[in-house]
Amino acid sequence: MAPPVFGLSPEWLLADGTPVADSLVLSHPEQVERLRAACPEAVSTAVLAGDPCFDRMLAAVPYRERFRRALGVRRGQRLVLLNSTWNPDSLFGDGGAEDVLPSLLPRLTAELPADTYRPAAVLHPNIWHGHGPGQVRAWLDRARRGGLALVDPLDGWRQALIAADVIIGDAGSVTYYGAALGTPVLLGAAPTDGLDAGSPVAAFVRRAPRLAPHAPLRSQLETLLNSRPGPQPATEPDPGPAGLVSSVPGEAATLLRRHFYGLIGVPEPSEPALLDPLPLPSYEPVTRTAPLRVVTRLLGAGEVEVARYADPRAEPGEDEEGGDAHTAVHEDTLDPGRLALADVIFRYGAADDPRFGGPERWTEEVLARHPHSALAAFVAEGGVCTVRTRAGSLLRLSAHAPDGPLSGADPAVCASALHAWLAGGSTPDELAAGGMTVHTGAGVCQVSVTPVGPRDPVIPGTPGTPGTPVAPVAPVAPVIPER
C-alpha cells in the first residue's frame, strides 16, 4: 500500500469523511489529479489559483543584481547557496553517518577561492526553532568566520534564491523553487521517503545531479556551472520545474482575491489585485576573520594573480603550484596567536573611528605590536586601503570600481598583491609609477598605489631592515589550522 501523501491524503483533509476546508488552493492541474487519486472526497474543494510565492520571485528577477550586492557579492563572484529543509534526512540532518553538512560547511570556505565564490546558507525556520538560534550559530561558527552568510529564513530566502549562481540543496521546496528559477542544483541530500512518487519534486530529486560529498568541491561546481547554456542562471525560469510550480504564473493574486471575495459574497474591488514586492534586504558585507592562505603569482609589468583560501586544512591544490604563499589575518581573528604568524594583518573600519586612531596610527601600532608581520592594511569606507610596510612606507591603494565598491576587488586582496610585489623586489616608487593589475578568479582590477608623505623610519621587527622594503616571502609553508 502506498504511503499517505503529505497534504493530499484523507488524514489531512477529512473529518468524519467530510472535507475540513471549503477550498483547497492548488497551483497546478497535476496536483488535482494526485488529489483525485489520494482523496477523491476532497476534489470538489480544489481551486486552481497558482503560487503567489513564486509570482513574487518572478516579479523580482529584474532586481537580481541588487540582491547580490545586498549579500556582498562582488562583480564576477559566484554565489553558492546552501539550502536545507527540516527532517533527519535533509542536508542539515540529524548528525548521523549520512549527514554531510558538518564537513561540507568548512570545506566550502576552505576549498573555494574567497574572491571567486561567496557562500551563503538558507536553513528552514524549523531548524532555527528546534535547535535555537544560539546553537545553530555555534554549529556554523567556523564557516561564518570563513565568510559564510546566514540568510534570514523568513524574509530573505527568496531574494537569495534569485541571487544565487548555484544551489547545494535537498528535497525541500526551496531547492525546487531555485531549480524553477533556472539556477543549477547539486543535491547534497536526496531522500525520497515522504515524497509522493508521482510528484514533480520526486521526479526532480530522481534526475538532479548529486554532490559527491568527499570529492573536491570546486571542480564539481565548475563542471555544473560550465554545463549550463547562457551567461547567467536565474534569468529565465526552467521550463521543467517552473512549468509545474504554477500553471498560471503571474496570476495568483487575481485568482485568489476573486475566489476569496466569492466565498464571502462581497463584490470584488475594481482595483487590480497585487502582491507585495520582495523587499531589498539589508546590506550584509562579507565578514571573514578566519586566517587566509594567499597564493600569488607575479606575471610581470605590475600584474599579479591572487587566490585566497579561508583557514584551509591543507595547502591550496595543484592549480596554484608555482606561486608564492603568505598568510593574511584579520585583526579580529578568533585566535590572537595567529597574528604572530601573519605576513599581512588587515581590518575594515571607518577612517574617522576614534577607537583606531585613524588608519595611519592603526597601521603603525599593528606593526609595532606584531614584529614578524611585514605589512598592515586598514580598509576604510569607499574601498580606500591604507598600507604601512615594515620598511616605513605609507601607501594608499585604490581599486578601480566604476560601478560602486562591489564592482572592484576587495581592497584586502590589493594589500596582499602589494605584499607579493614588494617581496619580489619591487619598490613602492616603482609600483606608484605604474600601479598594479590584480587578477582574481572574479576578474581583473586596476589598482593605483599612492605614497602618503615621506617614508617613515623602519619599524623595528624581523621582516624589515634598513634599505629593504620587506623580507622575501618563503615558498609554501605548512598551514596551522584555526581552532
Side-chain angles (χ1 to χ4, degrees), residues 134-337:
Q135 180 62 75
V136 172
R137 291 182 182 278
W139 282 331
L140 303 186
D141 180 65
R142 184 184 165 204
R144 292 175 64 214
R145 287 184 278 111
L148 177 78
L150 277 179
V151 178
D152 187 300
L154 296 178
D155 297 325
W157 66 270
R158 300 172 187 85
Q159 297 90 324
L161 275 185
I162 294 169
D165 292 289
V166 62
I167 296 167
I168 299 176
D170 55 22
S173 59
V174 172
T175 298
Y176 190 74
Y177 273 134
L181 288 170
T183 307
V185 170
L186 279 177
L187 292 182
T192 56
D193 293 344
L195 293 179
D196 179 0
S199 69
V201 173
F204 166 73
V205 169
R206 287 192 293 268
R207 71 172 185 272
R210 301 296 196 266
L211 176 76
H214 305 297
L217 298 176
R218 184 178 180 181
S219 59
Q220 295 185 71
L221 293 175
E222 292 185 350
T223 297
L224 179 66
L225 288 164
N226 292 337
S227 68
R228 302 283 297 193
Q232 293 196 71
T235 54
E236 292 292 337
D238 185 304
L244 295 170
V245 168
S246 172
S247 60
V248 282
E251 298 182 37
T254 298
L255 295 173
L256 286 170
R257 190 180 72 174
R258 181 180 302 156
H259 182 70
F260 295 156
Y261 274 85
L263 279 177
I264 61 177
V266 176
E268 187 179 359
S270 58
E271 296 84 0
L274 302 172
L275 297 171
D276 286 339
L278 294 182
L280 182 64
S282 299
Y283 173 53
E284 182 174 346
V286 179
T287 302
R288 191 180 291 112
T289 60
L292 297 167
R293 196 61 172 162
V294 186
V295 179
T296 60
R297 185 180 290 108
L298 301 180
L299 305 178
E303 296 195 42
V304 56
E305 291 180 349
V306 183
R308 304 187 299 167
Y309 300 85
D311 195 21
R313 285 326 199 214
E315 284 296 340
E318 297 179 358
D319 290 345
E320 313 303 339
E321 283 186 356
D324 292 318
H326 67 267
T327 299
V329 182
H330 193 292
E331 190 184 30
D332 291 339
T333 193
L334 179 66
D335 183 357

Side-chain angles (χ1 to χ4, degrees), residues 102-152:
S103 63
L104 179 62
L105 278 170
R107 288 177 56 212
L108 272 178
T109 56
E111 294 184 22
L112 301 181
D115 301 295
T116 308
Y117 293 92
R118 167 67 159 141
V122 173
L123 305 180
H124 194 284
N126 283 356
I127 294 175
W128 292 90
H129 177 73
H131 298 292
Q135 180 62 75
V136 172
R137 291 182 182 278
W139 282 331
L140 303 186
D141 180 65
R142 184 184 165 204
R144 292 175 64 214
R145 287 184 278 111
L148 177 78
L150 277 179
V151 178
D152 187 300

Side-chain angles (χ1 to χ4, degrees), residues 74 302 377-387 394-418 431-432 434-438 444-452:
R74 293 182 175 274
F378 188 101
V379 179
E381 59 276 6
V384 176
C385 183
T386 301
V387 172
L394 186 65
L395 307 167
R396 294 267 199 276
L397 308 181
S398 182
H400 180 59
D403 300 317
L406 294 178
S407 65
D410 180 350
V413 175
C414 304
S416 282
L418 176 72
L431 295 172
M436 296 186 299
T437 302
V438 179
V444 181
C445 184
Q446 302 298 320
V447 181
S448 63
V449 181
T450 306
V452 181

